[in-house]
Amino acid sequence: MAATQSVGVGTAGTPHAPVPPTTGHDGDSASRTPGTGPLRGLSPQAVGMVALALTVSVWAAFALSARALSASTLMPADAALLRFGVPLVVLAPALWRRRRRLLAVRPAPAIKIVCGAGVPFFLAAMYGGSLTSAAFVGAIVPGMVPLFVSGLMVAGGKSLPRGTQATGLVLIVAGVVALVWRYTAALDADVLLGTGTLLVASGLWALYTVGLREVDLDPVGSIGLLCLPSFVVIGLLALTGVLPTGLAHAAGADVVLFLVVQGLGVGLCAGLLYAFAIRRLGPERCSVVGSLSPVAVVLLAVPLLDEAPTLPVVIGVPLITLGVALANRRTQTKVSADA
């Protein structure tokens, strides 16, 4: 999910990821990772587009995995352990070097980040996806973030969105209405409950976006701030039996799939790649391209999940995509990166 300083801006996939400053005071910069090796012969803009394309693919994979979880041998707690645990293992040395800066984060923004993109967000997105479709996850969770962020910023004393931003927010609402209208008329309780849960997930991600703007961490530090307490919480819930777990008996293919998609993809690569793309291409171009992730989800869900696009999806997803693109058009001044 991309988020910016301007009012009402943000795209997620969820894991679309807001990206904190990439020039940290405490260690490695995200800009050192991509852009080398086989991509060395490409122009900086081309390498940035490759990083952005990979980021959008990861965001789409998050939405697809939210829907696929209900058909796998993994429980939500299992997927969450992989989502938050894998980045901690991979980044352990780098996070240790940042321990003082992490401990210095104020409690209020830390709570926003951990609640907004941690266990509550993850479980809401997974549960909502199990009741609806990948298209709903890919469109509603990132699509509604600009509206929620705008509401939070207005509540904090900022001015109301105007011009193209206001138009974008209206289109987002129209797109969500188009998605759920048919199920409201038919009183499909499961889809309506799933949609409501996805709206909660989107609101939580907006809270995460606001929290990221209040901390001075590079992308690696942001990942640690999110994943460490989230992993502890989900581990305690699993150990005490509050959330059932079947990781020990899950199919190996399911474990590998969610380890790659959730742990390495969403948990690690999305934030670092998006931060790198921001530095090469600029936040405005990245936000507009990132808004295409709902379309990617719909297209990929056809061959991967056998989800044929319905008329509400055909109408609603383009409206949401256009709305997110318009809501992100204002030139952005501060960039922050997903965890």
Side-chain angles (χ1 to χ4, degrees), residues 83-84 112-119 121-122 204-205 208 226 230:
R83 159 68 179 90
F84 299 114
K112 292 176 184 176
I113 289 171
V114 174
C115 291
V119 175
F121 165 80
F122 187 86
L204 287 170
W205 191 271
Y208 166 66
L226 168 64
S230 298

Side-chain angles (χ1 to χ4, degrees), residues 50 98 148 167 178 214 275 284:
V50 170
R98 292 162 171 78
F148 285 120
T167 302
E214 301 173 0
E284 185 170 351

Side-chain angles (χ1 to χ4, degrees), residues 1-19 59 138-150 153 165 168-169 172 202 205-206 209-210 213 274 283 286-288 290-294 320-321 323-330 332 336:
M1 269 180 256
T4 67
Q5 186 74 4
S6 54
V7 176
V9 181
T11 63
T14 175
H16 310 195
V19 185
W59 290 344
I140 292 177
V141 176
M144 287 294 292
V145 169
L147 190 65
F148 285 120
V149 170
S150 178
M153 298 185 89
Q165 282 197 329
L169 297 181
I172 290 170
S202 183
W205 191 271
T209 300
V210 173
R213 298 172 186 167
Y274 192 68
C286 287
S287 295
V288 173
S291 68
L292 296 176
S293 63
I320 293 172
T321 299
V324 171
L326 291 176
N328 279 287
R329 286 195 64 183
R330 176 181 295 184
Q332 303 143 4
S336 284

Side-chain angles (χ1 to χ4, degrees), residues 239-267:
L239 287 174
T240 56
V242 175
L243 289 178
T245 176
L247 190 59
H249 308 290
D254 290 340
V255 174
V256 171
L257 174 63
F258 278 82
L259 185 150
V260 172
V261 172
Q262 291 286 353
L264 294 177
V266 176

Side-chain angles (χ1 to χ4, degrees), residues 24 27-36 276 279:
D28 303 328
S29 166
S31 62
R32 299 177 191 172
T33 48
T36 59
F276 177 80
R279 292 172 66 86

Side-chain angles (χ1 to χ4, degrees), residues 36-112:
T36 59
L39 299 180
R40 188 173 296 166
L42 298 178
S43 68
Q45 290 75 20
V47 176
M49 286 303 299
V50 170
L52 185 56
L54 291 173
T55 305
V56 172
S57 299
V58 171
W59 290 344
F62 172 84
L64 295 170
S65 67
R67 178 59 177 164
L69 179 62
S70 60
S72 76
T73 57
L74 291 173
M75 308 292 286
D78 303 327
L81 287 171
L82 295 173
R83 159 68 179 90
F84 299 114
V86 171
L88 292 177
V89 173
V90 175
L91 298 176
L95 293 175
W96 177 253
R97 292 195 297 270
R98 292 162 171 78
R99 62 190 182 280
R100 291 187 179 86
R101 186 162 292 277
L102 289 170
L103 291 173
V105 174
R106 292 179 292 112
I111 291 172
K112 292 176 184 176

